[in-house]
Amino acid sequence: AVAALEAEFLNSWGKKPPDELDVAMAKANLAYSLIKVGRAPEAEPLIHYTVAVRERRLEKGAWLILSARNIKGACLSELGRFREADNLLVETYEPLRQSRVTSPSRLKQAIHQMIRHYEKWGKPDKAEEFRKRLDETPNSVTSQPTSRKAA
């Protein structure tokens, strides 16, 4: 089923092949959806592809890399690979939290991933720490970041 979705996406571009960053975005979205419905084994190769492409094509520390690595951490946690997952989730959480381009909904997603990870790993105190952070996270953006360079 996942392979059929990938093929459909690629065919939707017609004769002009999509840029690999576009493919990576689609695979990241599909991977996240698969993780959410308990299909992490199918999500793993998709998110590995996304991370590899973004790390190769984008500047180190780019928000899209952080986001993909965070989703990869969630995937690994669902697969029971807790130490690997913890490294990714911890290393990406704070930069995502501090980034001006992280929306409140994406930040809450990252916090929910941390809570689920620590619950699955049997670390309820750590899960509770992130539940408190969830309560402190705003529901909306008060100011929009600009993508323009300063003159």
Side-chain angles (χ1 to χ4, degrees):
V2 173
L5 286 171
E6 285 184 81
E8 188 175 325
F9 169 76
L10 292 172
N11 288 334
S12 72
W13 286 81
K15 292 181 181 181
K16 178 185 173 236
D19 182 85
E20 68 180 341
L21 285 170
D22 294 326
V23 174
M25 179 66 76
K27 288 187 178 200
N29 291 333
L30 180 54
Y32 180 71
S33 296
L34 289 167
I35 294 164
K36 293 281 287 181
V37 297
R39 293 170 63 182
E42 293 170 275
E44 187 179 14
L46 301 173
I47 200 61
H48 280 300
Y49 173 89
T50 298
V51 170
V53 167
R54 288 179 178 176
E55 287 180 342
R56 187 176 70 253
R57 296 273 310 270
L58 302 174
E59 286 185 33
K60 184 178 178 163
W63 185 89
L64 287 172
I65 295 172
L66 293 170
S67 182
R69 290 176 62 81
N70 185 264
I71 294 169
K72 182 177 178 180
C75 183
L76 294 174
S77 182
E78 291 299 312
L79 294 170
R81 292 160 53 188
F82 299 118
R83 290 194 193 288
E84 270 182 278
D86 198 57
N87 288 338
L88 287 169
L89 291 168
V90 169
E91 85 179 24
T92 58
Y93 171 75
E94 200 56 37
L96 282 171
R97 188 186 71 75
Q98 292 179 6
S99 174
R100 293 181 56 212
V101 297
T102 302
S103 69
S105 64
R106 178 61 182 97
L107 180 57
K108 285 184 179 214
Q109 174 189 8
I111 294 170
H112 280 291
Q113 289 168 184
M114 296 296 281
I115 293 167
R116 179 154 172 83
H117 166 65
Y118 286 123
E119 285 175 343
K120 285 182 65 85
W121 199 7
K123 297 189 175 200
D125 293 345
K126 294 290 273 183
E128 186 57 33
E129 177 187 324
F130 281 92
R131 270 192 203 83
K132 290 176 184 170
R133 292 182 191 196
L134 187 62
D135 293 338
E136 298 164 359
T137 304
N139 288 321
S140 62
V141 177
T142 54
S143 64
Q144 293 294 320
T146 179
S147 59
R148 295 183 184 177
K149 291 183 178 179

